[in-house]
Amino acid sequence: MIVSKQTGDARIPKHIFVTGGVVSSLGKGLTCAALGKLLEHHGLTIAVQKMDPYINVDPGTMNPFQHGEVYVTADGAETDLDLGHYERFTHAAINRHSNYTTGQIYNSVISKERRGDYLGACIQVIPHITNEIKDAIRQARGDADVLITEIGGTIGDIESLPFIEAIRQFGIEEGRGNCLYIHLTLLTYLRAARELKTKPTQQSVGKLREIGIIPDVLVCRTERPMTGEIRSKLSMFCNVEHEAVIEEMDVKNSIYEVPMMLHEQGLDALVLRKLGIASRVVAPDFSAWKHVVETACHPSREVEVAVVGKYIELHDAYKSIYEALAHGGLANDAHVVVRKVNSDRLDPAELGKVLGGVDGVLIPGGFGERGVEGKIASARWAAEGGVPYFGICLGMQCATLYAARDLVGLEDAYSREFDENCPDPVIDLMPDQKKVTLKGGTMRLGSYPCRVDPDSIVGRAYGTAVVSERHRHRFEYNNAYRERLVDAGLRVTGVYEEVDLVEIVELEGHPWFVGVQFHPEFQSKPSEPHPLFASFITAACAHADAKADRSADGNAHGNGAECADGRARPSTANEIGT
Ligand code: GLN
């Protein structure tokens, strides 16, 4: 029993477990985030957690093609990108207990065994691994009213079995009335038969029942609306109440439509009833969220921004970046069209063609030398053309290398990451990182404070003197080159004072050229766009407007054949160089 901080009344913590069936990539993370959001609107405090059945201790060492983006929490854990959805949709406290992997669970059990904690017992999946999983669930719960735990993978996978067994046991231990099992499944539409098929769902629920879990709620992903007949069939053959069969249609415009759609389907009311919790509000107020959805679906204008990266083919690799750009758009009532540019195949001579017409260039974080020259060239292109530039982590390092080479005149300026022996390591390892031998979990990770110069682009955007931003990198701006870089026009406008580390650089005299060593994208929400993304998109809109004005001027003089900035006309393609 816990006592709520908010009201002081004694409450029994409630648990929701979300499993997935039929296929992967059904959007379990989004569904959990949307449900969390709905419950918050009922005045409940929530926590959200993901269990990942792979053996890696965390996704930090995985290739983005394997895993997508690595999401970094404020307390410095490298986690699954679904945690990004949780943070964007809800106010849940997300931390290292919000994501556990099989590797982490085994690591902890094996360490305890080596310490002798098990007093001579033979260590087995049941009970030792399952107990460890249950402890991890209780850890994540904190003092929230409701913890939503997402189980990664698909029912039927061998890997996820210990997690499923643990959540089954959890229901017995905590009381079946305090635990709710939601199964997210796919209704497949057969074009030839013009029918939604329920059999894969029936089989998936059958598999769950074999392991001892009877789901309370079925959330059905479907591209077509469910008929009453389908609902009845699913209810009867999956042994789920008729009204607990929830339809989750594919959304048309924005993922931010999902919470309202599930609310209209009655998911929140159903969950509250089944868990025996009363809503703490008379009527949930969704007006602010509806405003977000309305702006996302019907923006007043469009602006195009290039994202130049190595893993551009995989949308998930830069998930939080794309989301934060969209939030920057929301702050400006604009839809941000992303031109995805593969840095690997970027020929500096072709830059005008590839980037021509965009109103902003963003270079996200990255590792390794491949594609880096294309990124430096893109920073140069934006700097010289007065196009808004936002460099994030490696993108900040590339902007610094551009300035070192072109403005200071250090032709061989490079990062120690790419060349151990480079003569001018403008980006270098700090002494403590030189001692690091293990790859996993050893970067500069998590939140650090940064003092920003109030008289700068970032200072005006933030409106506060000290900000806290999340990091994930090993290499840093080398202070040995600071004076020369600043003298050449690359201002330092953000510093981690304790060790005098440069965190933010800005190009003097440019409308918006900013590089940040941290990852602001992890702190952006649709309802609270990150100030730097909002400011970047404002600058991109201003760039587009100025271009349109100049072009109108040119047309008035019968000279409209080219873009006003002399660059090639915008391409309509959404992906270039891939
Ligand atoms: N590879 C660079 C470093 O480790 C940048 C990392 C990043 O962009 N996240 O410092």
Side-chain angles (χ1 to χ4, degrees), residues 541-558:
C541 289
H543 186 266
D545 292 345
K547 207 167 62 183
D549 283 352
R550 284 198 302 266
S551 160
D553 247 18
N555 277 332
H557 297 95

Side-chain angles (χ1 to χ4, degrees), residues 365-367 392-394 397 417 472-475 519:
F367 295 84
I392 291 178
C393 210
L394 181 61
Q397 298 178 352
E417 179 179 4
R472 181 175 184 251
H473 57 101
R474 240 182 252 292
F475 296 82
H519 289 273

Side-chain angles (χ1 to χ4, degrees), residues 367-379:
F367 295 84
E369 188 176 24
R370 192 158 53 80
V372 86
E373 286 303 331
K375 293 178 188 178
I376 298 171
S378 302

Side-chain angles (χ1 to χ4, degrees), residues 15 17 19 49 51 105 125-138 149 151 159-174 179 181 208 211-213:
H15 288 265
F17 297 105
T19 54
Q49 174 187 45
M51 297 295 188
I105 297 284
V125 172
I126 302 171
H128 300 95
I129 295 295
T130 45
N131 282 350
E132 193 73 24
I133 295 172
K134 286 183 285 180
D135 287 349
I137 296 171
R138 293 191 178 98
T149 301
I151 309 294
E159 287 88 347
S160 54
L161 275 174
F163 290 102
I164 308 290
E165 169 61 13
I167 64 172
R168 183 195 67 76
Q169 294 180 9
F170 205 87
I172 303 293
E173 288 177 7
E174 298 276 318
C179 295
Y181 298 94
L208 251 188
I211 319 166
I213 292 178

